[in-house]
Amino acid sequence: MRSALAILFLIEICLYATASLTHAGFVLEGHEHRQAMIAEAVISAFLLLGLISLSLDRPWSRTAAISAQSFALLGTLVGAFTIAVGVGPRTTLDYITHAVMILLLVTGLAWLARNRNASPLG
C-alpha cells in the first residue's frame, strides 16, 4: 500500500500541475484560463503537502492527507460546476480531465478512509 498511495498522490500532483500549465498556455494553446490555472496550481501544492505529510509518518499525517484530498475534490467540483454553467473553457479535454481528477481523488479518499489503522506510507 505504501508505494501505491504515494504513486496515486504523485499522479494527482502531476495531473493538476499539467492542467495548470495547460491553462497557462504552456502545454496547449487555446485552453488559457487564468482562474483555472491558479486553482489547479494551488490544488497541486496542497496535494504535494499531503504527500509530504504522509512521508513524515506522524499521528496527524493521515488527517493531513485526507484534508489535502478533500480540498482538491472540493476545488475540482467547483471547477466542474463552472464548466457546467458555461464559465471558462468547455472542451472535451476539460470534461475528461475533471472526470479523471474526481475519480482519482475519490479513490484516494476511499483508500485513506478504509485503512484507518495502517500507516499510509509505512
Side-chain angles (χ1 to χ4, degrees):
M1 173 168 144
R2 160 190 190 146
S3 60
L5 188 55
I7 289 169
L8 179 62
F9 263 84
L10 287 172
I11 290 169
E12 292 169 352
I13 292 164
C14 290
L15 180 59
Y16 280 92
T18 302
S20 180
L21 292 171
T22 299
H23 286 302
F26 292 120
V27 177
L28 292 173
E29 292 184 13
H31 294 274
E32 292 83 358
H33 191 265
R34 183 168 159 53
Q35 290 84 1
M37 174 196 68
I38 293 168
E40 288 158 346
V42 169
I43 291 170
S44 184
F46 268 79
L47 289 169
L48 178 60
L49 291 174
L51 177 60
I52 291 169
S53 75
L54 288 176
S55 68
L56 296 175
D57 198 21
R58 301 282 193 247
W60 47 264
S61 293
R62 187 175 153 274
T63 301
I66 289 172
S67 297
Q69 294 269 314
S70 298
F71 175 79
L73 181 58
L74 177 62
T76 305
L77 290 172
V78 168
F81 176 77
T82 62
I83 290 171
V85 297
V87 178
R90 296 177 67 186
T91 66
T92 302
L93 179 63
D94 285 302
Y95 294 128
I96 292 170
T97 302
H98 279 80
V100 170
M101 289 171 167
I102 291 167
L103 177 65
L104 290 173
L105 293 167
V106 169
T107 300
L109 282 167
W111 204 336
L112 287 163
R114 224 183 0 185
N115 297 293
R116 294 175 189 218
N117 297 328
S119 173
L121 291 181

